[in-house]
Amino acid sequence: MALVFLYRTTKDSVYLDAARRTTSFLVNQAWDETLAVFPYESPSPTPESRHLTYFFDTGIIIRSLIAVWQETGEGRLLDVASAAAHGMSAFWTGRDYHAILTLPDKTPLPRTAQWSTSPGCYQAKSALAWWEVAAITGDEKLRRDYLDMIESGIHTCRGFLAGANERLKIMDRLHAYSYFLEALSPVLDKPECVKTYAAVLDEAARYLRELAPEFSRSDVYAQILRARVRASHVIPLNSAAAREEADALVGFQMESPDPRFDGGFVFGQRRGVLSPHVNPVSTTFAIQALEMWRAYQAGEADACLQSPI
């Protein structure tokens, strides 16, 4: 999705070409049509890699296929996206969704205290895939499944941060917590969703500021800034807070004679010392957040409507 966002922003076909190469690999090599899943790694299994599939990663892949399909109209992308969206039902337990399954038997891995190995409101970002496929195909089951995930998240999200067993690990959970804000973005015409969105945004921003002197992540700054702009048509935007977040985010960007690092964003900082590596997820989130903030300030009406990477 990041490559499609860069293509739409810059109109440079090099990004769309790269996105098409990526999706070609996903649908022609990575996709397991028999199991209707995307294995976590390809080729898999190997002596170095367990044979797994992740709920969250599957949804992100589907959304990427849809984004490229919207630009190219390649039918196979939509076909695989729809099949994979229905294949995610393998994660369903009857009350929630397992985070990780083994393959080929689709047995769930044991859940741990680590947020990414357990179900939670963050999974709703991947459920956006169901909403996006349904919007194109008219698939009512996928649409209902997305809305059910949102309803569940509304009732459970406020306890998500309490799962951190150490104070500074709240920062890592803020990253996942912000995924729920992104998941809510298509349904901000519903009062209950707006109310939850505002409460989660305020809580996330408060914890970010409390923890930042000791530890902060650039992607959390980016996610919160994006969330402010994305909802500014229904929730008054706190310009002072947004400007503070944008300024802090820029502070994570690197200048380097090495083109691999120049312009990239580092993962985070501890007590003012930046981490020594550029992170691709942090970088793409930051690019979109800063572009949305620029567009909002310029009065561009579609700044609020961009789909989160």
Side-chain angles (χ1 to χ4, degrees):
M1 289 192 69
L3 291 168
V4 174
F5 168 75
L6 289 169
Y7 168 68
R8 291 170 177 169
T9 302
T10 67
K11 308 305 181 187
D12 189 335
S13 62
V14 68
Y15 296 114
L16 182 58
D17 291 343
R20 293 183 72 171
R21 289 193 299 272
T22 301
T23 53
S24 177
F25 166 79
L26 288 169
V27 300
N28 294 317
Q29 293 177 247
W31 170 241
D32 189 322
E33 187 171 5
T34 301
L35 295 177
V37 299
F38 285 100
Y40 177 61
E41 293 181 326
S42 179
S44 180
T46 69
E48 297 79 24
S49 170
R50 300 179 68 181
H51 204 32
L52 305 174
T53 183
Y54 282 66
F55 180 93
F56 190 83
D57 293 30
T58 302
I60 301 306
I61 291 171
I62 294 168
R63 296 185 65 228
S64 298
L65 299 181
I66 292 297
V68 177
W69 174 84
Q70 290 170 332
E71 299 299 328
T72 68
E74 296 175 54
R76 177 155 171 76
L77 300 183
L78 181 58
D79 291 344
V80 173
S82 180
H86 283 283
M88 291 171 74
S89 63
F91 293 88
W92 177 241
T93 72
R95 64 181 187 278
D96 57 25
Y97 290 88
H98 290 299
I100 311 168
L101 302 178
T102 62
L103 296 176
D105 54 327
K106 299 184 181 179
T107 299
L109 282 191
R111 302 176 181 189
T112 72
Q114 173 64 29
W115 64 264
S116 60
T117 67
S118 298
C121 61
Y122 76 94
Q123 290 178 314
K125 178 172 179 176
S126 282
L128 273 176
W130 303 337
W131 176 267
E132 293 175 3
V133 172
I136 297 165
T137 65
D139 191 317
E140 280 301 310
K141 179 184 184 304
L142 292 178
R143 182 179 179 275
R144 289 195 304 272
D145 287 346
Y146 161 78
L147 293 174
D148 287 345
M149 178 75 90
I150 290 298
E151 183 177 3
S152 174
I154 287 173
H155 293 302
T156 63
C157 66
R158 300 306 296 278
F160 183 73
L161 295 181
N165 55 15
E166 296 177 22
R167 179 172 172 273
L168 290 184
K169 287 186 177 179
I170 294 174
M171 181 61 66
D172 294 325
R173 284 198 169 238
L174 285 178
H175 166 65
Y177 197 39
S178 297
Y179 283 149
F180 187 56
L181 291 173
E182 298 164 21
L184 286 167
S185 58
V187 286
L188 290 178
D189 57 334
K190 303 179 185 299
E192 185 178 17
C193 294
V194 173
K195 180 180 178 181
T196 300
Y197 193 105
V200 171
L201 177 59
D202 286 348
E203 185 179 24
R206 175 172 59 82
Y207 271 110
L208 172 61
R209 284 160 174 76
E210 287 181 6
L211 297 173
E214 298 172 74
F215 171 45
S216 63
R217 292 175 52 150
S218 58
D219 52 11
V220 174
Y221 275 108
Q223 289 172 283
I224 291 175
L225 178 58
R226 284 193 311 188
R228 291 192 192 280
V229 176
R230 182 63 180 80
S232 59
H233 61 300
V234 292
I235 300 173
L237 188 143
N238 184 331
S239 295
R243 190 172 297 108
E244 178 185 327
E245 289 150 7
D247 289 346
L249 187 54
V250 170
F252 291 93
Q253 190 170 27
M254 289 193 69
E255 293 183 3
S256 172
D258 189 329
R260 296 174 300 170
F261 305 141
D262 190 40
F265 287 74
V266 301
F267 171 77
Q269 63 80 29
R270 289 183 181 271
R271 299 189 182 279
V273 178
L274 294 176
S275 60
H277 61 278
V278 170
N279 184 285
V281 174
S282 303
T283 297
T284 54
F285 282 14
I287 289 171
Q288 186 179 46
L290 292 172
E291 171 58 18
M292 290 177 70
W293 175 234
R294 180 208 63 77
Y296 173 84
Q297 291 179 298
E300 297 174 14
D302 61 351
C304 301
L305 304 178
Q306 294 188 39
S307 182
I309 295 171

